Each structure stands twice: as C-alpha cells, then as structure tokens.
C-alpha cells in the first residue's frame, strides 16, 4: 500500500491546501467508518482513493447533519450546508475542508451535479423528516430520494464523467440491499431513537405491534417477521450480482469486499433472530479483518507477474 502522500500525488492532487483538505476528509472517514476506509486504502487503485475518500466524507457529513438535533435544527443545518455546497461547486472554495475537497473531486471526476443536489434535497426531506414507512412503496421512495443519490455522490466518483444509466441502475440495486441489511442490523438502536424502519404493513401481516419490537418480545410472530425481512434482504443481496461488471476495475476489489461484509452482517442478523431487538448486530472485528486480508492477498496475487517456463 503506498503512503498517503504518494497516493495523493498519484491521483494528481497538488498544492498544500488541497492536499491538506483531502487528508482532513480521509481522517474524518477513518474516525467514523474505519472498515470502508481500510478497504479503500488496501484495495482500491491509488488514483481513485482520495476522490472516493472525499466522497465518503461528504456523504457522512450530510448524514450527520440530517440526523442531529431537533427537526428545526436539522432543517436549518441542511439549508446552510446546501448553500455552502452550492457555492463550493460553483467557486471551488468553502470554509469547510471536507466540502472543499469534495467540490474538487466532483469537478475533477466530472460527477453530474444533479446527484449532489438530489442527495441534499433527500436529506432535508426523506431523512431529516423520517417517520417510518407505511409499506414497501414508502421504502422504495426513500431509496430514490435519499439512499440512492447518497451512494452515488460517493461511488459515482469512480467514473470519469459520472455513471451511465446502466451503472446507476446497478447501484440502485446495491443500495436496496445495503439499506435492508443496515435497517435490520440497527433495529435496536433505531427503535431506541424512535425510528421504526420496517414498513408498518409488514408488521400488520404478522400481527406484530411496534410495542412488541420496542420491548424486544421474543414471540413466534416477531421471529416470523424478522425472518421474512431477512429473506427480503437476502433476495436483494442476491440481486446485486453483476455489480462488479459495472464498477471500474480499480474499485472492484472494494465492492466485492463490501458485498462480503454485507453478507456476513446479514448472516449474523439471521442467527440473532429476536436478539437483534436487544442489541445492534455489528460486523465484529475478526470477520472484517479476515475479509479485508483475504481480499488484499487476492489482489496482490492477481497483480503478481506470472513466471514463464523456458
């Protein structure tokens, strides 16, 4: 793995201030999401790493603003952030180093601005004002408004000029699976925060109440509901097969690792059953390290020149 300085140089990022901006963004990702950061650093092609790190830092920044404080504070924070981002995309400058780095990444990689504005608009509506889903259609509307553009403000930077329609559709399938797994893994914490992320219609199908979930009742109906949701997540994960063909070669090892981590987490949710209502189901430490090391070894082996018999 090349040093961070070498990685910045390989990506063509020069100038002390700009390099410091990208470094600040990368450190923010490392603090908040160490597993994705390590996957980028270990597995992605170095010319892509700083841009993707800036994209992930920006995505996390918007998430944090959309989920912090009262509804009024969220709305005010997102309005201010949207204004700052709009100015940065036009001028290339901002008081915030994360926004500066991201604006530079968007310009350098040619990501269409509509993905950024769509994500910010979704943050102010679908996420900041989140009050659950009535049915599957509500969940899909949430993906279209917030989660899908959210993943493309990050992964879209892999494509020079942005994703084409087929690539964007592939990431729509990917985020469908990722969101389902995430909602199941974070059931306990979300319910503690007053967020119910399973559509109400599905609770009704199984004769389960919100109170059943909030009180972590281990009943046959609750177990059946969680098992059905896990099957939906598994089917969505299966539907992401083929995403590697739509990714840039320099990012494929990262995407494969992300898919492996999702599958590992979903398996843990399935094993937990109603226990997922009593504690969030994380990745753990050993499995992500094992998956990352296996992917890194595979990448290294694929790049090793083959010897020829004489």
């Amino acid at each position: 793995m090349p040093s961070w300085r070498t990685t910045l140089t390989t990506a063509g990022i020069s100038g002390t201030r700009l390099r410091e901006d990208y470094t600040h963004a990368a450190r923010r990702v490392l603090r908040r999401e160490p597993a994705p950061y390590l996957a980028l650093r270990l597995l992605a092609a170095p010319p892509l790493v700083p841009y993707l790190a800036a994209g992930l830092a920006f995505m996390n920044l918007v998430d944090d603003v959309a989920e912090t404080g009262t509804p009024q504070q969220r709305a005010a924070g997102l309005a201010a952030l949207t204004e700052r981002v709009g100015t940065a995309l036009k001028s290339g400058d901002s008081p915030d180093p994360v926004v500066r780095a991201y604006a530079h990444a968007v310009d350098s990689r040619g990501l269409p601005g509509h993905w950024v504005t769509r994500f910010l608009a979704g943050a102010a509506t679908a996420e900041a004002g989140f009050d659950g889903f009535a049915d599957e259609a509500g969940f899909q509307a949430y993906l279209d408004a917030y989660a899908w553009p959210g993943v493309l403000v990050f992964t879209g930077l892999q494509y020079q000029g942005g994703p084409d329609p087929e690539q964007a559709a592939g990431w729509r399938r990917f985020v469908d699976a990722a969101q389902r797994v995430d909602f199941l893994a974070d059931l306990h914490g979300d319910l503690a925060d007053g967020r119910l992320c399973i559509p109400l219609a599905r609770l009704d199908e199984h004769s389960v109440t919100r109170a059943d979930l909030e009180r972590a009742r281990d009943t046959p109906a609750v177990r059946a509901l969680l098992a059905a949701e896990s099957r939906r997540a598994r089917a969505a994960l299966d539907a992401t097969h083929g995403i590697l063909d739509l990714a840039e070669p320099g990012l494929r090892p990262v995407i494969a690792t992300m898919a492996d981590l999702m599958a590992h987490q979903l398996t843990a949710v399935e094993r937990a059953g109603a226990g997922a209502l009593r504690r969030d189901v994380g990745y753990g430490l050993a499995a992500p390290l094992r998956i990352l090391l296996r992917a890194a070894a595979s990448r290294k082996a694929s790049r090793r020149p083959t010897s020829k018999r004489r």
Side-chain angles (χ1 to χ4, degrees):
M1 180 177 69
S3 69
W4 178 248
R5 288 183 179 182
T6 300
T7 300
L8 289 172
T9 300
T10 303
I13 296 169
S14 60
T16 300
R17 187 193 194 204
L18 188 58
R19 289 168 72 93
E20 289 176 349
D21 290 343
Y22 275 93
T23 300
H24 180 91
R27 286 173 177 165
R28 189 185 199 282
V29 175
L30 176 59
R31 289 193 301 270
R32 192 180 189 275
E33 295 196 85
Y37 175 81
L38 289 174
L40 279 178
R41 290 287 282 124
L42 286 169
L43 304 175
L48 291 176
V49 171
Y51 300 114
L52 291 164
L56 189 50
F58 174 73
M59 183 181 74
N60 289 339
L61 171 64
V62 176
D63 281 345
D64 291 344
V65 175
E67 296 173 1
T68 303
T70 65
Q72 294 79 11
Q73 290 170 330
R74 295 179 184 185
L78 286 166
L81 178 59
T82 298
E83 183 176 353
R84 292 199 305 274
V85 171
T87 299
L89 292 177
K90 292 176 182 176
S91 68
D93 198 14
S94 171
D96 186 334
V98 169
V99 175
R100 282 199 305 268
Y102 185 66
H104 180 268
V106 169
D107 180 65
S108 298
R109 301 297 297 170
L111 181 70
H114 68 80
W115 288 114
V116 182
T117 56
R118 184 171 173 177
F119 178 48
L120 289 165
T125 54
E127 180 63 9
F130 181 85
D131 60 356
F133 309 118
D135 50 25
E136 177 67 18
F139 171 71
Q140 295 297 329
Y142 175 87
L143 296 185
D144 285 332
Y146 183 63
W148 184 28
V151 79
L152 280 174
V153 298
F154 157 45
T155 61
L157 294 168
Q158 71 185 285
Y159 309 107
Q160 188 65 52
D164 64 27
E166 184 182 7
Q167 291 161 341
W171 286 104
R172 176 61 169 74
R173 294 192 299 274
F174 189 88
V175 79
D176 185 298
Q179 198 66 79
R180 290 179 194 274
V181 174
D182 185 64
F183 281 159
L184 285 171
D186 293 345
L187 262 175
H188 170 75
D190 283 341
L191 286 166
D193 290 338
R195 289 168 60 100
L196 173 60
C197 299
I198 298 176
L200 292 175
R202 296 219 272 273
L203 270 67
D204 292 341
E205 288 173 14
H206 291 272
S207 300
V208 172
T209 67
R210 180 169 182 152
D212 290 334
L213 301 180
E214 290 174 336
R215 296 173 187 174
R217 289 173 175 155
D218 189 350
T219 66
V222 168
R223 291 195 296 272
L225 168 67
L226 297 180
E229 291 302 295
S230 294
R231 287 193 296 271
R232 286 188 176 90
R234 183 67 66 183
L237 192 57
D238 290 342
T240 67
H241 291 165
I243 187 67
L244 291 184
D245 295 332
L246 301 175
E248 288 295 296
L251 197 61
R252 286 173 188 169
V254 177
I255 306 309
T257 299
M258 290 169 63
D260 284 347
L261 285 170
M262 278 199 297
H264 166 76
Q265 191 170 34
L266 180 55
T267 297
V269 168
E270 290 166 340
R271 289 173 177 167
L277 297 170
R278 294 188 290 274
R279 59 175 178 79
D280 286 345
V281 181
Y283 292 117
L285 180 61
L289 283 175
R290 184 173 61 252
I291 290 169
L292 280 171
L293 290 173
R294 183 173 64 239
S298 176
R299 181 173 183 268
K300 183 178 179 180
S302 68
R303 297 174 63 186
R304 186 181 301 132
T306 56
S307 59
K308 295 182 179 180
R309 292 185 179 181
R310 296 182 180 272

